[in-house]
Structure formats: structure tokens, C-alpha cells
Amino acid sequence: ATCMHVYASSQLAKMGSERQRFSQVGLASKSAARISGGYRLSTERAVEIKAAFDTFSPQGTGIGYHELKAAMRGLGLPAKKAEVLDMMKANGYGPDGILDFSVFSSILLQKFSEQDPLASMLQSFRLLDKDGRGRIGVQDLQRAASATGLQLSQHELQAMIAYFDQNSSGEVDEAEFVQLMLSIGMQ
């Protein structure tokens, strides 16, 4: 996903229309940012990358192999030892090298660009569908909102579901979720 790793990004934008309000929890976003390497990515993805770097390098001094590998796994990216070391080497760093944010983000962007968009979207869906029911309901959104520290009322959560629920089932299923992600360009 996504792009919709609700657990990795929880920033709020200014209040506005319902669609803008929904974007605040990562369900819909029109905004995009460009960062190093020329890759285009969503604001949520950029926030995830920055949050991962800050988690493993609180002082901003850089991260090494183990932190890079842990960050990749935490973001749902494959992280085999040889592959991580090859990426570091391709960027001019040995196994003991310390990566700054620019190199770190470049490596992660490359890995994200190699991901299958559908697999990524379904992984994001499963982050919300903790019970594995194949549907996202109000309780799932409440759990995600609580985990990210967002204070959303039951009414707001129900309105989100209703907004994206195309078959009027009262929940968002995988197909609706994928269609939503494709329609807002979060591939």
C-alpha cells in the first residue's frame, strides 16, 4: 500500500470536506510528494519512510544494516540479508556503513516500486481486517484509529464506511477496498 499502513502514519491534515477527513486516517488521499530517486509516492508513504528512519535513528545520525533490514520488514518489504547488503553496496556502502536519510529513502523507494501493487493493497487491507473476515467494519476502523491515537467518533467511523461501501453491506470488502485504492491512485 500502501499505502495504507494506518499503523505507520497518523498525521492529521486540516479539517475540511468528508473526503479530506477520511484521508486523515489514511483511507483516501489525493496528495502526493516527490522525494529522492525520482519516484512518485503518496504523502503517507513518505511519512512512513521518515517515521521508520526516525525510529531507528532518533538523533538522525544514520542507520546501519540491521536497522535497514528491520525497517524494511516493519514496512512489509522483503528483506533477505544478501539483498539488503547488495542494496547497500549498490549505494556505495559496506555492511558496516551508516546510511543517511537520503540513501535510506532511496533504497526503500526502490523496494516499494518493485512491489506488486495488488499485493501491497491487499496487505494494507489485512492490516485493518485483523479478524480475517474479508471485510472492514466500524470496529476495525476504531481499532486502527485508537492504535494511531486518532480520536474519531462512532458517527465519523460509520460515515467513512458508508462513503466507501459500494454494495451497501455496511462494511468495505476487499474488492471495494482495491477499487478505492485504485481510484485515488494509491497503488
Side-chain angles (χ1 to χ4, degrees):
T2 130
C3 293
M4 182 162 150
H5 297 275
V6 175
Y7 296 101
S9 62
S10 63
Q11 67 177 10
L12 289 173
K14 291 183 179 178
M15 298 305 199
S17 69
E18 277 190 343
R19 188 166 194 90
Q20 289 169 330
R21 178 74 169 138
F22 300 155
S23 74
Q24 294 166 359
V25 292
L27 287 176
S29 175
K30 293 181 179 179
S31 61
R34 288 185 80 74
I35 61 179
S36 66
Y39 296 103
R40 183 175 169 87
L41 75 159
S42 68
T43 301
E44 288 83 7
R45 181 73 66 192
V47 169
E48 287 176 338
I49 291 171
K50 180 67 172 138
F53 185 82
D54 291 346
T55 297
F56 291 101
S57 181
Q59 289 78 32
T61 57
I63 64 166
Y65 159 77
H66 294 289
E67 294 87 3
L68 175 60
K69 186 174 178 181
M72 290 173 64
R73 286 190 174 164
L75 292 170
L77 296 168
K80 294 182 180 177
K81 181 178 182 175
E83 190 176 355
V84 174
L85 291 172
D86 286 346
M87 288 185 292
M88 289 180 69
K89 185 177 179 181
N91 283 280
Y93 293 86
D96 296 326
I98 301 298
L99 309 175
D100 64 11
F101 178 71
S102 176
V103 174
F104 175 79
S105 65
S106 178
I107 288 172
L108 290 180
L109 287 172
Q110 179 182 351
K111 289 303 294 177
F112 280 124
S113 73
E114 294 169 359
Q115 274 191 308
D116 174 17
L118 179 59
S120 184
M121 285 183 259
L122 293 175
Q123 179 182 16
S124 295
F125 179 85
R126 289 183 194 101
L127 284 174
L128 292 171
D129 179 24
K130 287 283 189 193
D131 299 330
R133 299 177 307 116
R135 301 176 307 274
I136 299 170
V138 172
Q139 298 80 13
D140 299 307
L141 291 181
Q142 181 62 55
R143 184 176 32 242
S146 295
T148 59
L150 296 173
Q151 301 297 319
L152 299 172
S153 71
Q154 194 73 8
H155 174 73
E156 289 173 306
L157 296 170
Q158 289 169 341
M160 277 202 280
I161 293 293
Y163 188 81
F164 297 115
D165 179 19
Q166 297 173 354
N167 64 8
S168 300
S169 66
E171 299 178 302
V172 176
D173 62 32
E174 278 186 351
E176 291 168 326
F177 183 82
V178 168
Q179 187 173 11
L180 164 69
M181 300 303 277
L182 290 171
S183 73
I184 60 174
M186 294 183 76
Q187 303 168 13

